[in-house]
Amino acid sequence: MIYREAGQFKDGYAADEQIFPIRQDRYGIVFILVLAFVGVPLIANDYWFSAILIPFLILSLAALGLNILTGYTGQLSLGTAGFMAVGAFAAFNFMLRVPGMPLLAAFILAGLTAAAVGVVFGLPSLRIKGFYLAVATLAAQFFIEWVLVKFPWFSNYNPSGVISAQPMEILGYAFDTPARKYMLTLCIVAVLALAAKNMARCETGRVWMAVRDMDIAAEVIGIPILKTKLLAFAVSSFYCGVAGALWAFAYLGAVEPAAFDLGRSFQILFMIILGGVGTVLGSFLGAAFIVLLPIFLNVFAHILLPGVSSSLLSNLELIVFGSFIIFFLIVEPHGLARLWQIGKEKLRLWPFPH
Amino acid sequence: MDWQFFLEVLIGGLLAGVMYSLVALGFVLIYKASGVFNFAQGGMVFFAALTFVSLVERGVNFWLAMVITLAVMVVLGVLIERIVLRPLVNQPQITLFMATIGLTFLIEGLAQGIWDAQVHGLDLGIPDVPVKVGAINISQFDLFASATAGILVLALAVFFQKTRIGRALRAVADDHQAAMSVGIPLNHIWAIVWAVAGFVGLVAGLLWGSRTGVQFALTFTALKALPVLILGGFTSVPGAIVGGLIIGASEKLAEVYIGSSIGLNIGTGIENWFPYMLALLFLLIRPEGLFGEKRIERV
């Protein structure tokens, strides 16, 4: 009843090919965008911006990047955080070493640098598949971390290897308060998410999915495997690189290579698995879930078990987090995006079951 | 080149590699039997070692503690099969892999929640002193560790080849459906495999624990074992051993020789990524690892 497309006729190719062919989806997305751009800035406070919303958006972007590689192209990667680190350090160095570098150009160049690194580490994917590839991408993760720590040039000879992101400014407008940083992050994430959504539904994405489903069959029908896989690595790393740059510039301000360790890679992998592999929506749902879960756990634990020691609490958090993931995988292996899908089907019939 | 020094480094590396193999063995067992890439193996190593050391510290006899820990690991294996794996049958491998990452968190939290997060010393009664063999110094502890690993592999080989359960295990590894159709209970077999992997984890945990102290860092032994795994092949027990030896030896040699020959002090800290790069290069030539099953792909 609520979600019913009956009576929505398409009277042209343009109408047939739009991103959200169903009117309710369009209203929904406009509502979410208005909420994100206008509603949230009106009600949220600085804590919300800097502790929840900005990391949520940035991690969504990274999850989106991993989803392109793992969800759409089927190449399991455990090196996401490494590519984020490349982006963060590249953006810092571009801003530092090129006088008068515009911020957005630095972000784009950071993404391109990460993409180049991604292509290099993507090359083995032509011969190696499955878990062998996953472990091989760990090489990227550890190697990048080591290079950034080992060669002080990357952190401008900071003794502790920390980079302090330059103040963000576009055309003289400074993005210095959490609210402004949030707006900048939101704009970048919205643009890139739109691009991802479009890539996924045009030839690029379909070729990716063909390779994911069976790469030999894809090759037989004339899809160039080399180009397709490397493009997926490049685009994915670009997203991760921009996410990493934002992580340094918009979220943390000062960041060291250890902020992009293996744990971060796993965190992002969790996001796409829990959110839904191979969906754009899933990247956001998963990121929201993973960002919010520890906060909820913390709050609940303090309410339920007042006065519990912090070490026990952190162990409890580990236990609950681990159980949650297992529980989720058992109950809904296709992730939150699938739940939303089911919900939409239900809404379509509700309240009349036929 | 100083040959004596070279040999010393080489042998030291080979023996260190045995320690990696021990952890990798646990992975191989589970992957072979159930196709699950069990990331929680590192957590299991930690859990086993911590349980053992805490029991010993509470005054439990050494061998009794060993038996109790073994029992705990078997129960853990059975529980994992029951609660985690059984509902996830027929899911894609990546889902199972993610579940074992979740399991890693769970086990690590449990281990530290039940016992504590301190660093415990563990003394197996083997002094870590060098013995002279000819002109070369070899650590006595390393020798003991590799002897243990050798016995373990032999025992596993006998178990796999000669016993009824072992044959059933190999049948399951070969083909789930065919094994089920001749009446092998898949669930039991999986529980047994997880229990055996728990036992291997216990041995690895004791040896690693007495070397580095029983602490949270033991979980990272899993990361040491992964390049060994892909080098040797996920499905091969000999692969885990040979892979471990190659990784151990080349890692030590690279650290000593690459590190010192380039004057930039580059060699330090390469042990984190060098094994991975080495394994990666290997894979480019043999994509299924040294002893892994060759994939035949059809459309």
Side-chain angles (χ1 to χ4, degrees), chain A residues 265-285:
Chain A
S265 291
F266 277 136
Q267 191 188 24
I268 295 162
L269 189 60
F270 279 137
M271 286 175 191
I272 71 164
I273 299 280
L274 295 181
V277 170
T279 56
V280 172
L281 175 69
S283 314
F284 286 91
L285 294 179

Side-chain angles (χ1 to χ4, degrees), chain B residues 188-245:
Chain B
H188 290 184
I189 294 300
W190 280 353
I192 290 171
V193 168
W194 277 79
V196 174
F199 169 66
V200 174
L202 170 63
V203 175
L206 292 185
L207 289 174
W208 274 93
S210 65
R211 166 58 59 85
T212 63
V214 177
Q215 53 179 317
F216 187 74
L218 272 186
T219 56
F220 300 134
T221 51
L223 295 178
K224 285 279 180 203
L226 291 183
V228 173
L229 268 182
I230 58 172
L231 189 79
F234 274 120
T235 47
S236 163
V237 172
I241 303 295
V242 177
L245 293 179

Side-chain angles (χ1 to χ4, degrees), chain B residues 205-286:
Chain B
L206 292 185
L207 289 174
W208 274 93
S210 65
R211 166 58 59 85
T212 63
V214 177
Q215 53 179 317
F216 187 74
L218 272 186
T219 56
F220 300 134
T221 51
L223 295 178
K224 285 279 180 203
L226 291 183
V228 173
L229 268 182
I230 58 172
L231 189 79
F234 274 120
T235 47
S236 163
V237 172
I241 303 295
V242 177
L245 293 179
I246 295 176
I247 293 282
S250 52
E251 182 185 291
K252 285 281 179 302
L253 289 175
E255 217 173 304
V256 171
Y257 286 101
I258 298 180
S260 57
S261 62
I262 309 173
L264 282 169
N265 193 23
I266 275 179
T268 49
I270 65 170
E271 74 271 4
N272 267 339
W273 59 266
F274 181 77
Y276 284 93
M277 283 293 183
L278 187 76
L280 195 58
L281 289 179
F282 241 91
L283 285 187
L284 289 179
I285 301 160
R286 273 188 71 84

